[in-house]
Amino acid sequence: EYSGAVILNDYPAESDSTFAFVDRLRLLADTYLSEPHYWIGESEMYKELKEGFPQELLLLTLLTVLSIFLIVAINFRSVFIPIPLVMTILAGVYVNIWASGLGGNTMYYLSYLIIQSILMGATIDYTILFTHYYLASRQRKEDIAASLSTAYRYSSHSILTSGLILAIVPFVMSLVMKDPMIASILWSLSIGAFSVLILILFVLPGVIAALDPLMKRQFDA
């Protein structure tokens, strides 16, 4: 009652030309096949992922940001403190996407969804640690510069140790993995972790200092 066909081609698994080829096949099938028909295969899967990617990304980003925001807000009992922390991690994710595209490299859609979740969950701890020492110093009535210095002194070792492990280990693993999907995820995770590490050490302190007036209610409590 059923028929099957296997279509072989020389296109890569995921590319603009591959997706155009899949569209042509869909059009031909819709034109000449009167009965219901279904597509399976690697390229077809990536095509479906691409078509649903914007909605899935928006939902994933909103859920992830909201979850982290609530957890940090409850932990610090402040609605202002989570803002620079979450924005720093998000910036690291988007720097990762930009860096992954350098040199004509491509990134699987599924990899992007996975990397955003992992990075935001794994690296938010670094921002919390730095901010904790900063606020503790401000509670002791130290000025902004001294508080940033204290936060660097007590948190940089832990942040660098954990962050470099998260950046280097996936990078090494990506070099030996044969599966392009797994290699892409590992490579992207490495770049993302390194990007977040740089942002936390060199950008987050400035953002915290700029938002210090909004945080006074917290460290004056």
Side-chain angles (χ1 to χ4, degrees):
E1 298 179 7
Y2 300 94
S3 299
V6 177
I7 302 175
L8 304 178
N9 63 82
D10 294 327
Y11 291 104
E14 179 182 4
S15 69
D16 291 338
S17 58
T18 304
F19 295 151
F21 174 69
V22 172
D23 284 333
R24 292 197 300 271
L25 289 178
R26 289 178 175 179
L27 180 61
L28 287 171
D30 293 339
T31 302
Y32 294 104
L33 299 178
S34 59
E35 298 295 330
H37 44 276
Y38 307 95
W39 296 95
I40 61 174
E42 187 176 20
S43 297
E44 176 66 26
M45 178 188 69
Y46 292 142
K47 183 73 164 60
E48 292 182 359
L49 285 173
K50 178 183 179 181
E51 292 172 347
F53 178 73
Q55 295 79 14
E56 293 174 352
L57 175 62
L58 177 61
L59 178 60
L60 175 67
T61 301
L62 290 176
L63 290 177
T64 305
V65 169
L66 180 60
S67 300
I68 294 177
F69 185 93
L70 289 176
I71 293 173
V72 177
I74 293 173
N75 181 56
F76 284 103
R77 291 177 295 176
S78 170
V79 296
F80 297 110
I81 294 175
I83 296 176
L85 276 60
V86 173
M87 294 306 297
T88 300
I89 303 303
L90 272 178
V93 172
Y94 291 117
V95 169
N96 166 40
I97 303 306
W98 173 80
S100 297
L102 292 178
N105 295 325
T106 59
M107 185 177 189
Y108 291 99
Y109 294 102
L110 185 60
S111 302
Y112 184 91
L113 298 176
I114 294 174
I115 292 305
Q116 177 167 310
S117 300
I118 294 176
L119 279 181
M120 294 194 69
T123 58
I124 192 66
D125 292 345
Y126 309 154
T127 63
I128 292 175
L129 182 64
F130 186 93
T131 306
H132 168 76
Y133 283 112
Y134 175 83
L135 293 177
S137 180
R138 289 293 277 152
Q139 285 179 333
R140 295 192 296 269
K141 306 304 180 182
E142 296 182 15
D143 60 25
I144 294 177
S147 298
L148 289 176
S149 177
T150 299
Y152 267 117
R153 184 166 62 252
Y154 287 103
S155 68
S156 59
H157 178 75
S158 298
I159 293 174
L160 282 172
T161 301
S162 181
L164 288 176
I165 290 175
L166 188 60
I168 294 175
V169 173
F171 171 74
V172 174
M173 294 178 64
S174 70
L175 299 179
V176 299
M177 286 292 176
K178 303 299 182 183
D179 187 287
M181 174 68 76
I182 298 177
S184 172
I185 294 174
L186 292 170
W187 169 254
S188 299
L189 179 59
S190 174
I191 294 178
F194 185 75
S195 302
V196 170
L197 193 62
I198 296 299
L199 289 171
I200 290 174
L201 293 177
F202 297 103
V203 177
L204 179 63
V207 176
I208 289 178
L211 295 178
D212 184 81
L214 297 177
M215 298 180 181
K216 282 184 177 180
R217 185 179 306 172
Q218 166 65 24
F219 53 68
D220 286 341

